[in-house]
Amino acid sequence: MRKDITIPQVKNVFMAAVKEWNDDFLADVWNVYLVNDSDDDLHDIMVVSKAFGTLDGEMRKTSLMRHALVEMPAVSAVKIEMIEDSVLALNNEFMLTFFIGNTLYDRKYFFTANSIKDQNTEEVPHLWKPGVITGRD
């Protein structure tokens, strides 16, 4: 039975953390983007994020954040959420679920603790800004 189930692999869809100016905080903040570098439109998109890890010898975790998008065009990027500086010292996990046509896809993306920093940036496709990328194959 299990051999009859095919689980499609997510390709050319990844997450990127980009440092940008925020007028509300009057400071640079890290924003996480979903980047669709594929030729397919995504629809019925759900992103669930959380952070977890050890700080000062104590286990910490954040509450779950849920984000829903109706659709996302091919070759585009969309902002998902801001990551507060205090959470950068934790592992940040993003669980993505979406459809291409009638096929369901899902994947987990991780930014490991302290990996979101200026020294780890590279140019993010379709945003043309420096950012930390995870899950690009």
Side-chain angles (χ1 to χ4, degrees):
M1 295 275 218
R2 285 185 66 178
K3 65 181 177 166
D4 297 329
I5 300 172
T6 57
I7 300 172
Q9 186 177 23
V10 175
K11 293 182 180 176
N12 300 318
V13 178
F14 52 91
M15 306 293 283
V18 177
K19 189 183 255 186
E20 298 173 310
W21 178 258
N22 185 302
D23 288 332
D24 294 333
F25 296 109
L26 300 176
D28 285 331
V29 297
W30 289 97
N31 291 309
V32 175
Y33 283 83
L34 174 60
V35 181
N36 181 4
D37 196 26
S38 74
D39 295 329
D40 299 306
D41 294 340
L42 313 181
H43 62 93
D44 300 323
I45 305 161
M46 176 69 107
V47 179
V48 179
S49 64
K50 67 179 179 178
F52 59 92
T54 305
L55 284 176
D56 301 324
E58 189 176 323
M59 185 62 181
R60 301 283 179 131
K61 65 179 179 175
T62 64
S63 58
L64 292 177
M65 301 283 289
R66 293 174 181 86
H67 310 276
L69 302 164
V70 175
E71 59 186 350
M72 182 178 182
V75 190
S76 65
V78 64
K79 187 186 302 184
I80 300 297
E81 70 180 37
M82 182 191 88
I83 297 183
E84 185 181 307
D85 285 345
S86 63
V87 180
L88 297 176
L90 301 172
N91 297 304
N92 287 271
E93 175 185 301
F94 293 83
M95 178 62 186
L96 171 67
T97 305
F98 62 91
F99 282 89
I100 297 177
N102 291 327
T103 305
L104 176 69
Y105 292 80
D106 72 326
R107 182 169 178 184
K108 284 185 182 178
Y109 298 89
F110 292 95
F111 292 101
T112 56
N114 298 308
S115 66
I116 300 176
K117 54 186 172 185
D118 292 323
Q119 298 89 323
N120 295 339
T121 60
E122 59 185 284
E123 187 174 64
V124 178
H126 315 299
L127 289 175
W128 314 121
K129 297 178 181 179
V132 179
I133 298 174
T134 186
R136 183 166 59 177
D137 298 326

